[in-house]
Structures are given as structure tokens and as C-alpha cells.
Amino acid sequence: MTTPKSNPTNTISIANKAQSDQTTTPLFATDYNVYINHTDAGGIVYHANHLVFFENCRRDWFTKLGLNGYFLQSDSGDIQHFVVSQADLQYKRAILLDEIINVRIDKVELKPASMVFYQSIHRHTPKGNSTDHTKNSNHLLSSAKIVIACVQNQVTPESMSNDETQATRTAPMRPIRVPQSLRDTIQQAITQNADE
């Protein structure tokens, strides 16, 4: 019986990737307190509230960059905004009542009509408690890949007939390109982070 040979090149690349993942500086990170309204009866953060923390983090990052990236007005007066078109979450550990968590934007990919956010939630570790930053990787609570699509409302004033109700009217949207000013600002933040 022969023993299968290991591939040292593959082992090294996996080890290097794991090491780089642990030392990569996030684009943005902020702390949030976990309150009772975030949790279920057992004091564990309800799974949908992970999405709320990720959303708040994205919004806080946009604010730090001086952007209102959710509602933009084009030169022609059309309203453009972002909607979540895909969310892929992985839950690793429970988030508990009264914890402080660190929510991060680890990476952003710019697409023509969307942005892909890679985000994670970590258990907060006070800066004075540990000098080994790789230990933070043991405190990963959840991670997500969230796709934000840029759309434009296609609402045109229409006269309503007597038998048509407001409930039956729809506000169609169409995908559009991410506005250049927003794209430039985010690309600059990505570049600055890579240079640090």
C-alpha cells in the first residue's frame, strides 16, 4: 500500500493565504453594542440582525467617505439608489446580548452596475488585551458576501382611472451603471487602504 504524496506547493499557498487573510487591514471597521432588541429570548442575536449590522457598517463607511450612496440624483433629476440583490451569509458563532462587536468591510469589488461587499463580524477585543492581531481571526462570528445593485426608478406621472387603485400601481426600476463620482470615491478608498 502506498502513501499518497502531499503537494508542498499547494500547502504553502494555503498557508500563505490563511496568513494574509489574518493580517489584511479591513477597508472600514467599527464597533457596535448588542442591545436586547437585537436578540431573541435566549439572548442570542437573531440571524437577520447580522444583515442589519452589515448594513449599518456600509452606511457608516459611506458617511465617512462623505457619500450618500443610497439615494443619488442624476443631472436629469432621476433618483438612483442601491438595493441588495444577493446576500450570502455564513454564521460561525453566536453573538450575545451586551457584547461589543467589530463589524468590518474587508473588501469591495466594483462592477459596472453593482458593488460586491465582503464583510465580517468579529468579537471585540480591547486593544490593550492582545498584541497578537492574528488572534482576532479566532473571534470571527459571521461573514457575508453582499451584492448591492444600482437601480433607477422609472416612475412617470400617469392619470389614474376611477377603477384603478394606488395599490395596483408599481414603481418599475431598471439597473444602471454605478455613478462615476461614487465609483471614483470608493476606488480611491480601496487604493489608499492597499497602500497603508
Side-chain angles (χ1 to χ4, degrees):
M1 182 172 171
T2 60
T3 306
K5 294 182 181 179
S6 65
N7 182 344
T9 305
N10 191 30
T11 305
I12 291 169
S13 66
I14 290 170
N16 288 341
K17 181 181 182 332
Q19 185 177 14
S20 68
D21 288 348
Q22 293 172 355
T23 59
T24 301
T25 303
L27 285 169
F28 180 74
T30 188
D31 291 342
Y32 294 103
N33 292 303
V34 177
Y35 297 121
I36 188 71
N37 58 299
H38 298 130
T39 66
D40 59 18
I44 296 173
V45 169
Y46 186 66
H47 67 277
N49 281 333
H50 289 244
L51 286 169
V52 172
F53 286 120
F54 288 135
E55 176 78 24
N56 290 344
C57 181
R58 291 192 305 275
R59 178 65 188 168
D60 289 344
W61 186 53
F62 277 12
T63 300
K64 180 185 174 202
L65 295 177
L67 298 169
N68 179 358
Y70 286 93
F71 299 99
L72 307 166
Q73 191 165 359
S74 69
D75 294 336
S76 62
D78 294 321
I79 300 298
Q80 304 165 341
H81 57 101
F82 287 93
V83 295
V84 173
S85 63
Q86 177 184 343
D88 179 17
L89 277 70
Q90 292 186 346
Y91 301 99
K92 303 291 187 181
R93 296 180 181 191
I95 302 174
L96 305 174
L97 176 63
D98 292 332
E99 280 195 296
I100 298 174
I101 56 173
N102 185 257
V103 185
R104 303 173 186 179
I105 297 173
D106 299 305
K107 184 172 95 169
V108 176
E109 292 176 0
L110 292 169
K111 307 285 186 182
S114 64
M115 294 182 287
V116 182
F117 284 83
Y118 296 87
Q119 294 184 255
S120 57
I121 299 176
H122 299 254
R123 186 158 283 124
H124 177 75
T125 304
K127 292 180 181 175
N129 286 5
S130 175
T131 56
D132 183 0
H133 297 293
T134 61
K135 287 184 180 177
N136 285 339
S137 65
N138 296 330
H139 299 289
L140 177 65
L141 303 174
S142 67
S143 61
K145 173 186 174 185
I146 300 175
V147 181
I148 310 292
C150 189
V151 297
Q152 182 170 301
N153 290 346
Q154 297 294 294
V155 179
T156 55
E158 298 174 2
S159 60
M160 290 175 45
S161 64
N162 290 337
D163 60 342
E164 186 179 16
T165 65
Q166 187 69 26
T168 62
R169 295 182 72 195
T170 60
M173 295 180 289
R174 69 176 174 91
I176 59 167
R177 288 190 163 283
V178 174
Q180 192 62 45
S181 60
L182 180 62
R183 176 181 291 280
D184 292 345
T185 302
I186 291 175
Q187 186 59 58
Q188 181 181 6
I190 293 169
T191 303
Q192 285 176 348
N193 186 70
D195 292 342
E196 290 177 358

